Amino acid sequence: MSGNRFADTFRHKGLRKQLAETVRKKGITDENVISAIEAIPRHWFFDSSFLEFAYEDKAFPIGSGQTISQPYTVAFQTQLLQVKRGDKILEVGTGSGYQASILYQMGAKVFSIERQRALYQKAKEMLPAAGFLVKTFFGDGYKGLPTFGPFDKIIVTAGAPFIPEALIEQLKPGGIMVIPVDDDDGSQTMTTVEKAADGSYEISQHGKFRFVPLLGDKVHD
Ligand code: SAH
């Protein structure tokens, strides 16, 4: 029997400790990020037949043509966000809900948008059942969540052709957005937008990554 859907064995915990060490060796220094990677059971976000892949440092398909990001990428984006307890954070691209759970684990109030109905439904049920109190929304991340903003931090987890103006607007003064922006070779440059108190902002770049695309137009039933 597979038993409890949210089982977390010594073996899983051991594999997770190794995964946390892997992201540390790859250069992650924020101890709160490393602790969150060690705390969140990534195998809960996988279909049971693929559990053996959950603790490899790799992206993996989650259905609807999407992927759960590579743990190192999750850690890297989260480190750039400089998460503090109580931060109000908008995530664009809920996917499996793993990244949102990492942010929740770090004490953030998390609002996450997904445009694929099936993934939204799955995350909306799974996250509270697992004890991760993330607010999930079905909609278009290009528009953000104007009625819930502004946010201390914004994280986009799909490759964006440009930085959406609506998201910059929904960032608080002093806020940080982390967004992978498309290059012309099919990969993305990890980009941060830091908003100053006077509303001006500064953009900086943090290396190459590869994401599934941020899709526009209409939401997907
Ligand atoms: N953060 C996710 C990984 C997501 S992959 C995790 O931890 O598992 C990127 C996700 O962005 C996909 O689920 C995709 O459907 C979603 N997406 C793509 N375009 C979007 C848009 N315009 N608005 C909201 N979500 C979008």
Side-chain angles (χ1 to χ4, degrees):
M1 284 297 292
S2 60
N4 181 353
R5 178 181 170 204
F6 298 121
D8 191 24
T9 64
F10 280 117
R11 184 168 163 274
H12 291 131
K13 292 189 175 98
L15 290 170
R16 216 151 59 235
K17 212 174 177 58
Q18 287 174 25
L19 180 62
E21 285 314 309
T22 299
V23 301
R24 190 201 299 280
K25 284 202 193 91
K26 289 185 178 177
I28 301 301
T29 52
D30 183 334
E31 288 301 326
N32 293 328
V33 173
I34 294 167
S35 301
I37 295 277
E38 197 172 329
I40 297 292
R42 190 166 182 260
H43 65 281
W44 291 356
F45 299 85
F46 281 58
D47 287 334
S48 54
S49 37
F50 299 118
L51 289 183
E52 70 268 32
F53 297 102
Y55 294 109
E56 291 182 13
D57 188 23
K58 288 186 180 147
F60 199 80
I62 53 171
S64 308
Q66 305 304 323
T67 57
I68 180 171
S69 303
Q70 182 182 345
Y72 172 72
T73 304
V74 170
F76 190 82
Q77 285 197 280
T78 308
Q79 176 164 283
L80 286 174
L81 273 186
Q82 300 178 30
V83 179
K84 294 185 186 59
R85 296 199 77 79
D87 272 356
K88 191 170 149 189
I89 304 186
L90 171 66
E91 179 193 26
V92 173
T94 312
S96 68
Y98 177 68
Q99 170 75 70
S101 303
I102 293 282
L103 297 172
Y104 174 77
Q105 173 70 24
M106 295 176 75
K109 294 184 203 104
V110 188
F111 298 72
S112 185
I113 319 178
E114 172 58 54
R115 77 183 276 284
Q116 297 263 7
R117 175 76 76 181
L119 293 174
Y120 160 74
Q121 282 294 351
K122 202 170 171 186
K124 182 186 146 118
E125 284 157 28
M126 182 275 178
L127 290 168
F132 307 133
L133 308 182
V134 168
K135 294 184 181 64
T136 48
F137 299 83
F138 176 56
D140 180 6
Y142 277 94
K143 302 194 175 82
L145 287 174
T147 52
F148 293 88
F151 299 94
D152 296 295
K153 312 280 165 67
I154 298 178
I155 176 170
V156 178
T157 66
F162 54 87
I163 304 173
E165 194 60 41
L167 298 185
I168 295 178
E169 276 166 23
Q170 288 167 43
L171 203 54
K172 283 186 194 173
I176 301 174
M177 166 159 44
V178 177
I179 179 168
V181 180
D182 291 345
D183 293 322
D184 48 21
D185 63 356
S187 66
Q188 289 79 31
T189 294
M190 193 63 78
T191 304
T192 54
V193 180
E194 295 190 59
K195 209 184 225 189
D198 66 2
S200 66
Y201 56 86
E202 211 166 281
I203 292 180
S204 39
Q205 299 184 325
H206 308 270
K208 289 246 190 204
F209 288 82
R210 194 168 280 269
F211 284 82
V212 295
L214 185 67
L215 300 170
D217 299 323
K218 58 189 182 68
V219 290
H220 201 286
D221 275 300

